[in-house]
Amino acid sequence: MPYRAPVTDFQFLFDHVVGLKQIASTERFADATEDVVQAILAEAAKLSEEVLAPLQRAGDLHPARLENGVVRTSPGFAEGYQAVAEGGWVSIAASPEHGGMGLPMTVTSAVNEMMGSACLSLQVSPLMTQGQIEALEHHASDEIKAIYLPKLVSGAWSGTMNLTEAHAGSDVGSLRSKAEPNGDGTYAIKGQKIFISWGDNDFTENVCHLVLARLPDAGPGTKGISLFLVPKFIPDAQGAPGKANDLKVVSLEHKLGLHGSPTAVMQYDGATGWLVGEEHDGMRAMFTMMNNARLGVSLQGIAAAEGAMQHAIGYATDRAQGRSLAPNPTGTIFDHADVRRMLTTMKAEIFAARAISLSLAAAIDMETATGADEWRARAAFLTPIAKAFGTETGIAMCNIGVQVHGGMGYVEETGAAQYLRDVRVTAIYEGTNGIQAMDLTGRKLADGGEAAYAILDEIEERAEAARHSLPELAEPVWQATESLREATEWMVAQTDMNARFAGALPFLRAFGRVLGGHFHLTAAMATEGKGPRASLAQFYIAQLLPETHGLLAQATAGADTLYALSQEDFAA
Amino acid sequence: MPYRAPVTDFQFLFDHVVGLKQIASTERFADATEDVVQAILAEAAKLSEEVLAPLQRAGDLHPARLENGVVRTSPGFAEGYQAVAEGGWVSIAASPEHGGMGLPMTVTSAVNEMMGSACLSLQVSPLMTQGQIEALEHHASDEIKAIYLPKLVSGAWSGTMNLTEAHAGSDVGSLRSKAEPNGDGTYAIKGQKIFISWGDNDFTENVCHLVLARLPDAGPGTKGISLFLVPKFIPDAQGAPGKANDLKVVSLEHKLGLHGSPTAVMQYDGATGWLVGEEHDGMRAMFTMMNNARLGVSLQGIAAAEGAMQHAIGYATDRAQGRSLAPNPTGTIFDHADVRRMLTTMKAEIFAARAISLSLAAAIDMETATGADEWRARAAFLTPIAKAFGTETGIAMCNIGVQVHGGMGYVEETGAAQYLRDVRVTAIYEGTNGIQAMDLTGRKLADGGEAAYAILDEIEERAEAARHSLPELAEPVWQATESLREATEWMVAQTDMNARFAGALPFLRAFGRVLGGHFHLTAAMATEGKGPRASLAQFYIAQLLPETHGLLAQATAGADTLYALSQEDFAA
């Protein structure tokens, strides 16, 4: 089934759930009028449906490859990328002074999701560039901004993030790449980086690498890391790509999925780099980029789930099999209760995850527009939840998508399996979901739970407001929130950080579950408890929200049981 | 990490959980002495570790392929299969009069699991043959038995199951393949079958297909289906493979995983076949084969999970990353609470699923040995639970296995992703898990819940027995069982079958969860609440068993919500 962008869902979420109106009422985002947003959604939908979706299988069947040191991308990807760039879709959020539209992340996120549903492996490229644009906007010198930003925003050049080294993954602080001053304000970058998404391509004039490395006088750990911009071709005085820099792609990984997205091992042999931000302060700049990327990756999870769901609906409503017991039989497997459970689960989970991610985007926008600490704290708190919940939802829904297809789901030509293979990495990259959960229960609860309680208060207030009109929905949401509040209090009370970390991921999942209930309830309230959105809310709240119970049992169990088995016991 | 067969776990389960002693005390299985069983486990472990495990990657990298109508298997598979056959491992359960050892399914199951962990795609072949042997033992004429069984048991010939047609998957009754009497007691088989595992190979002298087809006077549906044995080469008077039969492999599927196992489209162009069992009674014979295969597939799920867990443990105890907060630091990611949660979950879930599947095998053995209705009913009830729970556990654990590896998990060379790709089909073939759940809540509750209640009674009795010695384990198991009993009563009370089917899979999962708690409690009782098995039981019962709550909310929600959304709503 060809992809159809869920424009109506985005519009509903904008209007009734995540508060785009509030964002558009700020001076910063005054351009995001209803007309503009509608036009953006419609145009991005068209691009995704017509140009990008046809590339999905080609990227899988004909992976990007390395030929004599040059990356050759999948058939059609160059043309697809040009369409993205020419349409201005690489970054609609970038500042107008560098050629962007200055639109909210909320709208950008919808666009990113649509492009990701259509062709996830290609969409990784603009997503990386978006992160680089944001990092440069915040931390680079005016000179660098003037040279690089217009090129990145137009899509003429692309950007990458270089953090990981073979021995330094989640523990970025242990990286060893070096940067030595050349005496002319530039630096010589030396080292090897792995897992570099879109480390090279054959369709942009230049590829700009943001590389974490250590200066000669750097201390150990993350505080000794600086950030450098290292272009593939060094721009000449006019800003045109000039001399090739001393860097190369050593190899590309053979991955489970995302075959169209080249994942490179990059070698820097004294490549010329420019410092971005202050010396030894690279992690701060990198976090600007990573937080953006974490939101983006959450939407990749949802994008794949949406694609997988549409694929599954297409199959289910076409495949005749078995005797129907449905009230309104269609004669297809769409009638079967278990198939209907799978599809309803997909639709309900996608709504929940999308609402969470867009509400994170909205918080980022309000932080940008107002500079208020409350919005900053809310965005910071929601980031790990959106990333892990969105990507776990992505994997689980793509797995269901395969199941809906029965035996055909296991056959690659069907396309259902590709969604599962492609989406699998989203729970791993930009900080594994385990790292997200540690961030949530460590750093993001370091305020004593203030940001968490603000969100829980908001959920309970809304549930209170619906207690009389929609009691069967409001009451379970309120109850689950109370349980989550108790678990949050338990977390905050743990001075042994490992007790928090032991329950971190189940706690994060429970928070996502409850937020999902909150947003479903919001949708039901907006539709006065009638129609398909309210039915979906009823399904989610009655059947998926009760998972919170089991998750919180894990969240608050402490670390002891986890360490009861020794290494020998595991090997026995 | 090289595979190490979990012989100690099997022995523990045999001795303390599933009751192999009781089986060995019957006349039928008197040969299954402690010494014999120990020797079998040790030898099968050796074969799996040394001969089969090295083939795992080769099968993935070099899929079976079709060359001019001939299937060429993956490098080393022919030798691997010969080792399986020569060791007598194709079927140790087959009757001694045909060359088997007549050993219990309980022991066979452990052997099958070990071979499956080592190389799942090769193990599919003997598993299919085992099912065929059992079907022929029960339903074939003495003449057929005499010719075929010794060849199948020795592994000289292999067997396949041919049910599915392009338009007839889960709905077997709609198949159209035809069988016309040739007038000499044989039949001419015509039709096309799809998804035929190991439909051909280049290492057995003959391939024997059991094919479902319709006689000219057959009625519609499953009652008009007969079963035929259709060999690739027609045996001559001496029983040696003679003239090629009129059948061929049309194509092989490109699958997500199990690349080493050729999945064929088979074309029968008037091939000579022999009736197995009575005319129009093919489904009964096929069910003999399928029930066996469902147990076997449940163990494939567990096999992959065990392989994935060992792989993950190997990586986790080797990879240094991040600062340790563990009580006994190893300096590797094995110290991190979230990694430990993943590994502990794997170990606890594998124990639960394995105990369920082996207890099904034990019930089959007791049914075989005693012919008692109680054992028959228990085996019938446990079959869909073991199949779906074992395979869903397999997929979920292999997914965790990828996650433990971080970025390396997404790189194919690591091998973690292969387990996930390979195991994915187990939730689909031999009856999708949705079909299993319909079988459980439909056919298997048609006795008014008698078989279910017998199991629930047994669980509660054991929990009662442990109430004083291990209250913190016994009490939650007892409580969860009571909740499950209520859900079972709800199920039995539904006269609208679709209300049952709407909650069927969550009900099945909840039953698996509770059985898992029961077997963990049993293990803890056997070890007097001390040591790693008791710790694992504590983890499962405190942290995984509470999932039952959420599952039962789904199980008893009824069908209405599932049908609230129309086809248009889904497409919107």
Side-chain angles (χ1 to χ4, degrees):
Chain A
M1 189 167 116
Y3 171 66
R4 277 191 50 206
V7 170
T8 317
D9 276 2
F10 287 123
Q11 196 70 61
F12 179 85
L13 283 160
F14 288 171
D15 293 345
H16 301 290
V17 180
V18 301
L20 185 60
K21 228 165 250 171
Q22 187 184 12
I23 296 167
S25 73
T26 64
E27 199 188 324
R28 171 71 178 75
F29 294 116
D31 288 349
T33 62
E34 275 187 42
D35 286 356
V36 167
V37 171
Q38 265 182 24
I40 291 278
L41 289 181
E43 282 303 308
K46 197 168 137 74
L47 170 86
S48 301
E49 292 168 0
E50 295 175 10
V51 180
L52 301 182
L55 302 175
Q56 163 97 334
R57 280 291 286 157
D60 194 52
L61 290 172
H62 309 287
R65 61 190 200 284
L66 190 64
E67 262 183 25
N68 303 321
V70 178
V71 169
R72 302 290 177 205
T73 59
S74 304
F77 271 41
E79 294 76 12
Y81 180 85
Q82 291 314 330
V84 171
E86 282 162 19
W89 301 110
V90 169
S91 177
I92 59 172
S95 161
E97 73 179 289
H98 304 117
M101 300 178 65
L103 285 170
M105 274 311 293
T106 310
V107 181
T108 295
S109 295
V111 172
N112 282 347
E113 192 206 296
M114 289 188 266
M115 295 196 294
S117 289
C119 184
L120 197 63
S121 59
L122 180 53
Q123 185 256 359
V124 175
S125 172
L127 185 64
M128 293 294 101
T129 303
Q130 285 170 26
Q132 182 160 121
I133 290 169
E134 194 160 346
L136 295 184
E137 279 182 344
H138 283 82
H139 303 283
S141 67
D142 288 343
E143 202 185 339
I144 287 181
K145 284 185 192 172
I147 297 173
Y148 287 85
L149 282 175
K151 299 288 193 178
L152 291 166
V153 172
S154 73
W157 299 0
S158 64
T160 77
M161 297 168 66
N162 289 236
L163 290 79
T164 306
E165 300 176 6
H167 58 281
S170 296
D171 184 11
V172 181
S174 63
L175 66 82
R176 294 179 200 148
S177 288
K178 284 181 184 156
E180 285 176 20
N182 288 326
D184 60 355
T186 66
Y187 297 80
I189 311 296
K190 288 181 189 167
Q192 195 174 79
K193 296 285 182 176
I194 65 168
F195 296 151
I196 308 310
S197 295
W198 283 98
D200 199 4
N201 69 65
D202 51 9
F203 51 62
T204 62
E205 293 168 8
N206 208 349
V207 181
C208 307
H209 305 285
L210 274 178
V211 182
L212 289 180
R214 292 183 184 284
L215 289 165
D217 60 340
T222 51
K223 286 172 187 163
I225 293 175
S226 306
L227 183 65
F228 300 89
L229 181 60
V230 189
K232 180 180 172 185
F233 297 107
I234 297 172
D236 62 22
Q238 286 72 45
K243 185 171 94 66
N245 211 341
D246 291 324
L247 59 88
K248 66 178 178 210
V249 176
V250 177
S251 62
L252 300 182
E253 306 293 351
H254 304 104
K255 309 192 299 296
L256 173 61
L258 279 192
H259 295 165
S261 167
T263 302
V265 175
M266 299 293 304
Q267 179 74 35
Y268 297 90
D269 295 316
T272 305
W274 283 263
L275 185 69
V276 174
E278 301 298 311
E279 292 186 352
H280 314 310
D281 198 26
M283 283 305 288
R284 202 162 61 91
M286 199 47 118
F287 263 112
T288 305
M289 190 157 171
M290 277 205 297
N291 281 333
N292 187 318
R294 284 171 179 182
L295 166 61
V297 169
S298 79
L299 286 149
Q300 290 191 319
I302 298 157
E306 173 72 31
M309 178 182 72
Q310 292 193 15
H311 217 270
I313 292 168
Y315 183 80
T317 54
D318 183 58
R319 169 82 172 164
Q321 195 75 184
R323 191 165 56 92
S324 174
L325 299 173
N328 299 301
T330 64
T332 65
I333 62 167
F334 182 70
D335 294 348
H336 296 309
D338 186 60
V339 172
R340 201 67 77 96
R341 168 175 295 283
M342 291 194 273
L343 297 177
T344 308
T345 300
M346 293 175 97
K347 195 145 183 95
E349 291 279 42
I350 289 170
F351 177 89
R354 186 182 279 144
I356 292 169
S357 289
L358 292 183
S359 76
L360 162 58
I364 293 172
D365 288 329
M366 290 306 292
E367 177 194 355
T368 304
T370 68
D373 272 352
E374 291 76 8
W375 288 113
R376 186 198 46 72
R378 184 183 170 93
F381 191 81
L382 289 176
T383 295
I385 298 174
K387 197 277 182 179
F389 193 79
T391 58
E392 289 200 347
T393 297
I395 294 167
M397 296 310 110
C398 292
N399 189 48
I400 292 178
V402 170
Q403 193 70 18
V404 171
H405 287 79
M408 291 308 296
Y410 203 59
V411 174
E412 284 289 0
E413 281 82 352
T414 307
Q418 187 188 339
Y419 287 111
L420 180 59
R421 289 188 291 99
D422 284 354
V423 77
R424 184 62 190 82
V425 75
T426 62
I428 297 170
Y429 65 16
E430 301 309 333
T432 67
N433 287 1
I435 292 290
Q436 303 300 323
M438 288 174 77
D439 177 49
L440 180 70
T441 54
R443 214 172 288 125
K444 303 299 167 66
L445 286 182
D447 61 0
E450 199 182 332
Y453 296 137
I455 293 171
L456 296 174
D457 291 346
E458 182 186 318
I459 299 175
E460 290 192 355
E461 273 167 35
R462 195 160 308 162
E464 289 283 359
R467 182 156 275 172
H468 294 294
S469 54
L470 298 168
E472 77 289 2
L473 300 180
E475 185 59 31
V477 170
W478 194 89
Q479 288 292 348
T481 312
E482 274 298 285
S483 301
L484 179 58
R485 186 186 293 277
E486 283 169 30
T488 308
E489 287 164 357
W490 183 92
M491 277 285 167
V492 171
Q494 302 307 306
T495 48
D496 172 8
M497 288 309 285
N498 218 30
R500 296 192 189 188
F501 295 159
L505 201 49
F507 177 75
L508 183 152
R509 289 173 181 144
F511 225 110
R513 268 273 157 270
V514 170
L515 280 167
H518 167 63
F519 290 123
H520 270 292
L521 174 60
T522 306
M525 289 165 77
T527 53
E528 294 176 339
K530 295 187 190 77
R533 292 195 191 277
S535 297
L536 208 58
Q538 201 186 338
F539 172 79
Y540 183 97
I541 290 169
Q543 301 201 39
L544 301 179
L545 187 60
E547 272 189 16
T548 313
H549 177 85
L551 290 168
L552 292 180
Q554 294 181 36
T556 58
D560 291 353
T561 326
L562 298 182
Y563 292 97
L565 268 65
S566 69
Q567 189 168 341
E568 291 67 38
D569 294 333
F570 272 102
Chain B
M1 189 167 114
Y3 171 66
R4 277 191 50 206
V7 171
T8 317
D9 277 2
F10 287 122
Q11 197 68 62
F12 179 85
L13 283 160
F14 288 170
D15 294 345
H16 302 291
V17 180
V18 301
L20 185 59
K21 229 165 251 171
Q22 186 184 11
I23 296 166
S25 72
T26 64
E27 200 188 323
R28 172 68 178 79
F29 294 117
D31 288 349
T33 61
E34 277 188 40
D35 286 356
V36 166
V37 171
Q38 265 182 23
I40 290 279
L41 289 180
E43 282 303 307
K46 198 168 135 74
L47 171 86
S48 301
E49 293 169 358
E50 296 175 9
V51 180
L52 301 182
L55 302 175
Q56 163 97 335
R57 280 290 287 156
D60 194 54
L61 289 172
H62 309 288
R65 60 190 202 284
L66 190 64
E67 261 182 24
N68 304 320
V70 177
V71 168
R72 302 289 176 204
T73 59
S74 303
F77 271 41
E79 294 77 11
Y81 180 84
Q82 291 313 333
V84 171
E86 282 164 18
W89 301 109
V90 168
S91 178
I92 59 172
S95 162
E97 72 179 289
H98 304 118
M101 300 177 65
L103 286 170
M105 275 310 293
T106 311
V107 181
T108 294
S109 295
V111 172
N112 282 346
E113 192 207 297
M114 289 188 266
M115 294 196 295
S117 288
C119 184
L120 197 64
S121 58
L122 179 54
Q123 185 257 359
V124 175
S125 172
L127 185 65
M128 293 294 100
T129 303
Q130 284 170 26
Q132 181 159 122
I133 289 168
E134 194 159 347
L136 296 183
E137 279 182 344
H138 283 84
H139 304 283
S141 68
D142 288 343
E143 202 186 337
I144 287 181
K145 283 184 191 171
I147 296 173
Y148 287 86
L149 282 175
K151 299 289 194 179
L152 291 165
V153 171
S154 73
W157 299 0
S158 63
T160 77
M161 298 168 66
N162 289 236
L163 290 78
T164 306
E165 299 176 6
H167 58 281
S170 296
D171 184 10
V172 181
S174 63
L175 66 83
R176 295 179 200 147
S177 289
K178 284 181 185 158
E180 285 175 21
N182 288 327
D184 60 355
T186 67
Y187 298 81
I189 312 296
K190 289 181 188 166
Q192 194 173 80
K193 297 284 183 177
I194 65 168
F195 295 150
I196 309 310
S197 295
W198 282 98
D200 199 4
N201 69 66
D202 51 8
F203 51 63
T204 63
E205 293 168 9
N206 208 350
V207 181
C208 307
H209 305 284
L210 275 177
V211 182
L212 289 181
R214 291 181 183 286
L215 288 165
D217 61 340
T222 51
K223 285 171 188 165
I225 293 175
S226 306
L227 182 65
F228 300 89
L229 181 60
V230 189
K232 179 180 172 186
F233 297 106
I234 298 171
D236 63 20
Q238 286 72 45
K243 185 171 93 68
N245 211 340
D246 290 323
L247 59 88
K248 65 178 179 209
V249 175
V250 176
S251 60
L252 300 182
E253 305 294 350
H254 304 104
K255 309 192 300 296
L256 173 61
L258 279 192
H259 295 166
S261 167
T263 302
V265 175
M266 299 293 305
Q267 179 73 35
Y268 297 91
D269 296 316
T272 304
W274 283 262
L275 185 69
V276 174
E278 301 299 311
E279 292 186 352
H280 313 309
D281 199 25
M283 282 306 287
R284 203 162 59 92
M286 201 44 121
F287 262 113
T288 306
M289 189 158 170
M290 278 205 298
N291 281 333
N292 187 318
R294 284 171 180 183
L295 167 60
V297 170
S298 79
L299 285 150
Q300 290 191 320
I302 299 156
E306 173 72 31
M309 178 182 71
Q310 293 194 16
H311 217 270
I313 293 168
Y315 183 81
T317 54
D318 184 57
R319 169 81 172 165
Q321 194 76 182
R323 191 164 57 91
S324 172
L325 298 173
N328 299 301
T330 65
T332 66
I333 64 167
F334 181 70
D335 294 348
H336 297 309
D338 186 60
V339 171
R340 200 66 77 94
R341 167 175 297 283
M342 292 194 273
L343 296 177
T344 308
T345 300
M346 294 176 96
K347 196 147 183 94
E349 292 279 42
I350 289 169
F351 177 88
R354 187 182 280 143
I356 292 170
S357 290
L358 292 183
S359 75
L360 162 59
I364 293 172
D365 288 330
M366 290 306 292
E367 178 194 356
T368 304
T370 68
D373 272 352
E374 292 75 9
W375 288 113
R376 188 199 45 71
R378 183 184 171 93
F381 190 82
L382 289 176
T383 295
I385 298 175
K387 198 278 183 179
F389 194 79
T391 58
E392 289 200 347
T393 296
I395 294 167
M397 297 310 111
C398 292
N399 189 49
I400 292 179
V402 170
Q403 193 71 18
V404 171
H405 287 79
M408 291 309 296
Y410 203 59
V411 173
E412 285 288 0
E413 281 81 352
T414 307
Q418 187 189 339
Y419 286 110
L420 180 58
R421 289 188 290 100
D422 284 354
V423 78
R424 185 61 190 82
V425 75
T426 62
I428 297 170
Y429 65 15
E430 301 309 333
T432 66
N433 287 1
I435 293 289
Q436 303 300 323
M438 288 174 77
D439 176 51
L440 180 71
T441 54
R443 213 173 289 125
K444 304 297 168 67
L445 286 182
D447 62 358
E450 199 182 332
Y453 297 137
I455 292 171
L456 296 175
D457 290 347
E458 183 186 318
I459 299 175
E460 291 192 353
E461 273 166 35
R462 196 161 307 164
E464 290 282 359
R467 182 156 274 171
H468 295 293
S469 56
L470 297 167
E472 76 288 3
L473 299 181
E475 185 60 32
V477 170
W478 194 88
Q479 288 292 348
T481 312
E482 274 299 286
S483 301
L484 179 59
R485 185 186 294 276
E486 283 170 30
T488 308
E489 287 163 357
W490 182 92
M491 276 284 165
V492 171
Q494 303 306 307
T495 50
D496 172 9
M497 289 308 285
N498 218 30
R500 295 191 191 189
F501 295 160
L505 200 48
F507 178 75
L508 183 153
R509 288 172 181 146
F511 224 111
R513 269 273 157 269
V514 170
L515 280 167
H518 168 64
F519 291 123
H520 269 293
L521 173 61
T522 306
M525 290 164 77
T527 53
E528 295 175 338
K530 296 186 188 77
R533 292 197 192 275
S535 296
L536 208 58
Q538 200 187 339
F539 172 79
Y540 183 97
I541 290 170
Q543 301 202 37
L544 301 180
L545 187 59
E547 271 189 16
T548 312
H549 176 85
L551 290 168
L552 292 180
Q554 295 180 35
T556 58
D560 292 353
T561 327
L562 298 182
Y563 293 97
L565 269 65
S566 69
Q567 190 168 341
E568 292 68 38
D569 295 332
F570 271 103

